[in-house]
């Protein structure tokens, strides 16, 4: 399953790179249908949503990659319940996105790099909170070095640029 997860994390990394190119915090998200047990080829899996951060572009604090991808996936499925999906995201979801993931009933969340300061799971335990009716399985560290590099490069370049 590792290679399978890596394939879709690379798609999420492409989205994160688009964010960086647009001056957005580089986070990318891809949501796919859960494959049948005998499916080994990622190309046989349907992508339901893919997005990158667009908060600056849309002037919208909720325009995180996960929120946009969740909306796309719900539209593709014709249902807000995303019970048979896998969500891939380059950076651990924030509390807002983690809450939306729980509400959408996503059963598996896979991310590259954790966020020890603002992570919806590692800091706030939203994805495994006992008071919530849904708790997705979590897989972390997929393509971690690549996901971290995109973030570090973005913020390093941002610090070296003169303020407008």
């Amino acid at each position: 399953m590792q290679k399978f997860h890596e394939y879709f994390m690379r798609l999420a990394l492409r989205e994160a790179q688009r964010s960086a190119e647009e001056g957005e915090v580089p986070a990318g998200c891809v949501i796919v249908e859960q494959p049948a047990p005998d499916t080994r080829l990622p190309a046989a899996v349907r992508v339901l949503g893919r997005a990158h951060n667009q908060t600056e572009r849309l002037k919208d604090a909720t325009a995180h990659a996960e929120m946009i991808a969740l909306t796309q996936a719900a539209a593709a499925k014709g249902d807000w319940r995303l019970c048979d999906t896998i969500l891939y995201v380059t950076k651990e979801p924030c509390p807002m996105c983690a809450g939306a993931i729980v509400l959408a009933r996503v059963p598996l969340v896979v991310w590259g790099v954790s966020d020890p300061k603002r992570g919806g799971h590692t800091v706030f335990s939203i994805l495994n909170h006992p008071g919530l009716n849904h708790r997705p399985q979590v897989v972390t560290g997929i393509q971690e070095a690549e996901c971290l590099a995109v973030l570090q490069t973005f913020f390093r370049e941002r610090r070296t640029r003169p303020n407008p």
Side-chain angles (χ1 to χ4, degrees), residues 82-104:
L82 301 177
C83 298
D84 57 349
T85 62
I86 303 172
L87 183 144
Y88 294 90
V89 64
T90 55
K91 186 181 83 56
E92 177 181 0
C94 73
M96 173 186 66
C97 294
I101 289 165
V102 168
L103 292 173

Side-chain angles (χ1 to χ4, degrees), residues 123-135:
V123 177
F124 297 100
S125 301
I126 293 169
L127 297 179
N128 66 352
H129 193 282
L132 297 173
N133 65 336
H134 175 75
R135 289 178 288 287

Side-chain angles (χ1 to χ4, degrees), residues 99-118:
I101 289 165
V102 168
L103 292 173
R105 314 293 198 274
V106 174
L108 177 58
V109 179
V110 179
W111 69 74
V113 63
S114 294
D115 185 347
K117 291 183 181 179
R118 293 171 293 279

Side-chain angles (χ1 to χ4, degrees), residues 10-59:
R10 282 192 295 277
L11 296 181
L13 275 162
R14 286 186 204 148
E15 290 295 324
Q17 192 58 45
R18 289 183 64 195
S19 289
E21 290 166 4
E22 294 174 11
E24 303 273 358
V25 173
C29 182
V30 173
I31 301 175
V32 301
E33 284 185 329
Q34 255 181 352
D38 60 343
T39 303
R40 289 201 167 89
L41 294 175
V45 175
R46 183 174 167 216
V47 174
L48 300 170
R50 69 173 75 211
H52 57 281
N53 278 353
Q54 297 181 47
T55 55
E56 298 298 332
R57 177 189 200 188
L58 299 176
K59 308 294 184 228

